[in-house]
Amino acid sequence: MSMDEPTSDVVDAIAAQWRRERPDLDLTAMAVFGRLGRLMGVATARIEKVFTAHGLQRGEFDVLAALRRSGAPFELNPSVLADTMMLSRAGMTGRIDRLEAAGLVRRIADRADRRAVRVALTEEGRELVDTVVVAHTENETAMLAVLDPVDRVALDRISRALLSRWAD
């Protein structure tokens, strides 16, 4: 499918109904956000399929990825992890518990404050996240392959502009 020849979709059908009933409305934004919502649903399902193929839930991957991105020694305070993922402390504890039970992370005493705990990637966790991040980036790249490189750059610029204006 060429990007120059868009096909009609359910959003077009909805917009046509609104145009018939309310020809006074500008439906451009409604169509854009309708497609973005549908796109996010489709993309989320495809992304999560990669994680489940490796025995992970998306939230578990996010924890492993945050630890991996932090650099050696691949450990962080649980509250830093929770803040990074905008997750409650209790929600983070549940994720850490599951990952620890699977042998992918371990809790260790903080070297600076022995009363505090840090979460560290195990070697198995590091190997898994390194494997999954490759599959994840390949999957996302494949999803955008329908766009030419110029359109991918434009989509990134446009989505960045919208987020910088409206995201907290």
Side-chain angles (χ1 to χ4, degrees):
M1 173 178 76
S2 167
M3 288 306 297
D4 298 328
E5 305 167 18
T7 59
S8 290
D9 61 9
V10 70
V11 175
D12 287 327
I14 291 167
Q17 291 170 332
W18 276 116
R19 267 193 297 283
R20 182 188 70 231
E21 297 299 319
R22 293 291 310 269
D24 58 308
L25 295 177
D26 177 359
L27 302 172
T28 305
M30 181 188 284
V32 167
F33 285 105
R35 285 190 181 93
L36 287 174
R38 290 176 55 80
L39 179 60
M40 198 60 219
V42 169
T44 297
R46 288 179 178 233
I47 290 167
E48 288 176 356
K49 190 173 183 180
V50 169
F51 299 140
T52 58
H54 291 90
L56 294 172
Q57 296 174 15
R58 181 182 192 119
E60 294 166 344
F61 171 78
D62 290 344
V63 172
L64 296 176
L67 290 167
R68 181 64 173 95
R69 289 190 318 265
S70 73
F74 312 113
E75 60 186 54
L76 291 169
N77 180 293
S79 61
V80 170
L81 280 168
D83 291 345
T84 299
M85 288 174 243
M86 295 178 286
L87 193 65
S88 71
R89 303 298 193 258
M92 181 54 62
T93 297
R95 286 184 188 177
I96 293 167
D97 288 346
R98 288 190 303 276
L99 291 167
E100 188 173 40
L104 302 174
V105 301
R106 69 183 189 286
R107 287 177 171 97
I108 59 173
D110 188 309
R111 287 180 276 288
D113 180 357
R114 305 247 344 132
R115 296 169 296 167
V117 172
R118 295 180 64 82
V119 179
L121 270 179
T122 63
E123 186 60 31
E124 183 181 350
R126 191 169 75 81
E127 289 172 8
L128 179 61
V129 73
D130 283 348
T131 297
V132 176
V133 76
V134 169
H136 177 51
T137 57
E138 288 173 351
N139 182 45
E140 289 182 329
T141 298
M143 286 191 285
L144 291 180
V146 67
L147 301 176
D148 66 41
V150 171
D151 287 340
R152 287 191 294 265
V153 170
L155 180 59
D156 181 59
R157 179 183 51 76
I158 291 164
S159 58
R160 182 185 310 269
L162 288 170
L163 283 170
S164 72
R165 177 66 170 98
W166 299 110
D168 292 330

